[in-house]
Amino acid sequence: MRPDFVFLSLARDCAATIPSFLSLLVALRSEGLNVVAFVGENGSRDGTRELLQRAEASGRIVLVPTPFMAGERDRLKRMALGRERLKSEFEAAKLEPRFVCVLDIDNVIASPPSTAALLAAAAKLERQGIFGVSATSRPHYYDLLAFQDDHRSFDTLLEDLARSRNNIFAYYRFFRSRIYPHQRALTDDREIECASTFNGLCLYRTDAYRIGSYLQPGPSICEHLVFNRRLADRTGAKMLIDPGLILRTPVDHSQQSFLPFAWRRLRKLVASPRPQAHLSIKAPGVSSVG
C-alpha cells in the first residue's frame, strides 16, 4: 500500500517527547492513513534509544543508527550528514508516499499538531508553485536560520551572534534588536511565502524532496536552508509557512526579558562542556537532536 506520509527525524536525548511523536503516528494511523517513520538516533544518554528500539520492535518506526555523526565536530555539518542519511534510507526503501514530513521530535513536538491540521497543510502542496509547507509556532515563530525570502536571509546570524556572546548585555541587545523583531514579524495569521522555512516540521511534495540534498561544500549553514535553496532553484517553486499548522514555541527558544535570559544563559554555560550558539536560535534545529 502506498504510504500517505513518510516521516524523517533525528533524535538525541529526547525521551520526554518520544511518546508525543509516537502518539502523532498513532493518531494518523487511526484515521486510516498509511504512515512510515524513519528515525535516526545519535548518542542519546536519557533512554531515547531504548524507547525507539521498542517502537521499532512493535513495527511503529524504522530505527536508523547514525553513530557516524559523532565524528563531525561542526554541529551544522553534523546535522546535514544525519538528515542526508535519513533521506538515503528513505530512497533505499523505494517508497512512493504522497508526502514527506521532516520534523524534530524534541520539545517542539511536545504538543503535536492534529491530524486535521497536518492534512490541511499537506493539501496546500497540491497548489501549483508550492514545494513545501512548514509549521508556524506560538507564541512566535522561532527558526530564523532556516528562513529566507526575497528580503531576508539569516545565514550569517551565528557568526554575528558569536561576536557579542562574551558580554551578556551585548548578547541580550543582539537578541532584542536582531532576532526577536524578525521572529515576531514571521508570526502571522496569514500564509507567508518564502524560499526556505522549517520551524520544527515541514511537509514536502515527494517529487521535489527527492531532488534535494542537505550537503554542501564550504562554510557551514543551516542544513534546511541548503536543502530548500536547492529545491527552490531547481523547481522554481516556493514554500509556505502555514498559520493553521501550529506547534508550541519551545521554552528554550522563547523570547524573554533580561533577567530570565541571563539566568538561562548562565545555566547553559555551566552545563555545556564547550561554547556553543545559544539555543534561542533554532538551527534545526539547535536542539537536543544534534
Side-chain angles (χ1 to χ4, degrees), residues 63-96:
L63 181 58
V64 180
T66 55
F68 64 90
M69 291 175 65
E72 174 56 64
R73 297 187 64 182
D74 185 300
R75 191 183 189 288
L76 295 179
K77 292 181 178 178
R78 186 164 70 243
M79 295 301 298
L81 290 170
R83 303 279 186 198
E84 193 71 15
R85 174 61 183 274
L86 288 175
K87 184 175 183 292
S88 297
E89 290 288 325
F90 160 58
E91 297 286 4
K94 307 283 187 195
L95 298 172
E96 294 293 339

Side-chain angles (χ1 to χ4, degrees), residues 108-160:
V108 72
I109 205 69
S111 296
S114 67
T115 298
L118 201 63
L119 290 173
K124 296 180 180 183
L125 291 170
E126 305 292 345
R127 298 181 190 173
Q128 188 170 2
I130 299 298
F131 70 80
V133 177
S134 88
T136 187
S137 50
R138 293 293 186 273
H140 62 82
Y141 180 98
Y142 64 95
D143 188 11
L144 295 187
L145 287 187
F147 183 84
Q148 181 178 306
D149 64 8
D150 293 338
H151 311 289
R152 291 163 290 192
S153 180
F154 302 94
D155 49 347
T156 65
L157 191 59
L158 287 181
E159 289 84 353
D160 297 340

Side-chain angles (χ1 to χ4, degrees), residues 12-13 45 262-277 279:
R12 183 182 178 191
D13 292 335
R45 299 180 180 180
W263 174 242
R264 184 170 68 187
R265 176 62 181 164
L266 176 62
R267 290 179 61 190
K268 183 173 181 239
L269 288 173
V270 169
S272 177
R274 61 185 184 274
Q276 299 179 38
L279 289 181

